[in-house]
Amino acid sequence: MVLGLTLPGDRKGRDRADAAKRAGAESAAAPTAQAAKAGGTPAPGATGASGSAAPSVSASAPIPAAAPGAVAVKADELGQVPVLMYHRIMKKPELSLDRSTKELYDELTGLAKDGYYPITAAEFFGGRVGVPAGKHPVVLTFDDSTPGHFGLDAQGNPAPDTAVAIIEQVARENPGFRPVATFYLNKEMFGMDDAQAATGLRWLQQHGFEIGNHTVTHPSLSGLSEKGVHKEIGDMEDRIVRLTGAHTTTFAYPFGAVPKKKAWAEKEDGRYSFQGAFLAGWRPSLSPFDDDFDRWAVDRVRSEGKIKENDCKKYCSTAWLEYLDKNPDERYTSDGDPNTITFPKAAEDRLAKEYRARARVY
C-alpha cells in the first residue's frame, strides 16, 4: 500500500499538507517550452505564476447563467483532470515502470474513444483550457527523456515506435484527438547529442509538444541544499535555453520528491521561473480552478493496468479512467469556451475566488 493515497471519489481527502509527503511514486529502478506553440517563453521572473484569472468580483455577486450549449453537455470545469505519467516506452518492457508500444497505443486510443482531448502542462497551469464542448482534458507527461519517447528518422519524421509517433498515429486514426504531450527532460535528452537535440527539440516545439524541466541527473530534491536544487534545475534550464532559445514553463519533481522549501524549485531569478510542478502520484488532479488546487504539488496517475503492484488495481491509469467513466460527475467536462468556467451551482463553494468573474453556473 502506498501511503498518502485517497480512495477513488474521496476528493475531500485531498490535503495540501499531504501533497509533498506522498509518493513513493517513481521507482528508483526507473532510468533516468514553450507549450503548445513555438516562440520564446518570457524570461524567468517576467510574469507571475498564472496571469490567467480575470479581475476579481464581489463574492456576493450572483454568478451568470451558463450558456445553453454548456448546459446541454453537462459541463463541469471543477471536475478532476487525469494527468498521466509515463516513463520508458519499449516494444518489450523490462522494468516495472516501462510501458510497451502496444500498451501506449491502446491507452491513447481508449482516451480518444472516451472523449478525452490532450492539452499540455503549460496550458493546464495557465488556466485557459481550450477543449471542445463536452470533451475532457487529459495531460500526457513523459519523464526522463529516454529514446523511446522521441527521435527523428532520416527524413526528419518521428521515429517509428516512439511515443511521439504513436501519439500522432492515434490522432490520425481518431480525428479530434489532439497530438500533444509534455516531455520532462534530463541530461540524456532522448539519447541525442547537442546538435541532434537542438534539431529534435525545435521539431517538438514547432509541432505543439511541450518541453519541461526534470533536472540534470534526476536526484531526489528532498535531500539537497538550496544550492544543490538550484544547480540541478538551473543547469538543466540553461542547457534547454541554449538549445532552443526558450525557457520551460513547467517542472516535474524527480521521484515526486519536493525539496525542503518548495520555493527553491519554483524559481531562481534569472534562470528559471515555473508556472507549476507535478508530483509522481496516484490520483487525478483537481481542476486548476478549484480552491484547493496547489500548482506546486499537482497529482499525476501512473500509466499501468490493474495489476497488484503498488495498488495499481485502484490507483493507476486503467483503474482511474474506469472510475471516471463510471462517475462522470467527478470528471472535468469542458464548456467549449476557454474564457468561461462552467459548473453545476452545487459546486460553487469549490471555485477559487480569483476565477469568479469567469464563472457560469446552471
Side-chain angles (χ1 to χ4, degrees), residues 148-217:
H149 293 168
F150 175 63
L152 294 174
D153 64 18
Q155 288 71 46
N157 299 313
D161 294 321
T162 59
V164 171
I166 294 167
I167 291 168
E168 293 204 322
Q169 177 185 353
V170 173
R172 288 192 302 270
E173 295 172 352
N174 298 273
F177 187 78
R178 184 171 174 241
V180 300
T182 300
F183 292 92
Y184 286 104
L185 308 185
N186 299 128
K187 64 181 179 181
E188 288 80 7
M189 288 211 186
F190 312 115
M192 300 175 176
D193 61 30
D194 274 9
Q196 294 169 326
T199 299
L201 296 181
R202 284 195 298 270
W203 189 99
L204 288 172
Q205 290 175 316
Q206 290 166 3
H207 289 80
F209 293 89
E210 180 188 358
I211 297 163
N213 191 316
H214 200 42
T215 73
V216 176
T217 66

Side-chain angles (χ1 to χ4, degrees), residues 41-104:
T41 302
T47 60
S50 175
S52 59
S56 61
V57 296
S58 170
S60 61
I63 294 176
V71 178
V73 298
K74 298 182 179 180
D76 183 1
E77 296 182 312
L78 291 179
Q80 298 178 74
V81 177
V83 180
L84 302 189
M85 178 181 68
Y86 298 93
H87 290 86
R88 296 198 305 176
I89 304 299
M90 312 176 72
K91 282 192 173 183
K92 293 184 178 180
E94 298 172 353
L95 302 173
S96 64
L97 292 178
D98 296 345
R99 294 294 267 161
S100 73
T101 52
K102 184 180 185 305
E103 287 169 332
L104 177 61

Side-chain angles (χ1 to χ4, degrees), residues 270-349:
R271 295 189 85 187
Y272 59 86
S273 180
F274 302 120
Q275 287 189 12
F278 288 117
L279 299 170
W282 298 87
R283 60 192 181 193
S285 171
L286 292 176
S287 164
F289 311 122
D290 193 302
D291 192 45
D292 287 337
F293 179 73
D294 180 356
R295 66 176 53 249
W296 302 113
V298 176
D299 294 306
R300 293 190 286 175
V301 177
R302 169 184 165 183
S303 173
E304 184 54 86
K306 295 170 73 172
I307 61 174
K308 290 182 179 180
E309 178 191 335
N310 290 323
D311 262 358
C312 275
K313 285 188 175 181
K314 293 182 179 178
Y315 301 114
C316 292
S317 60
T318 298
W320 271 114
L321 292 170
E322 286 180 359
Y323 176 82
L324 292 173
D325 187 53
K326 293 175 181 177
N327 296 272
D329 58 320
E330 296 189 32
R331 177 172 57 185
Y332 188 119
T333 299
S334 176
D335 66 4
D337 184 350
N339 297 311
T340 59
I341 302 166
T342 299
F343 48 87
K345 187 170 179 56
E348 183 176 337
D349 63 339

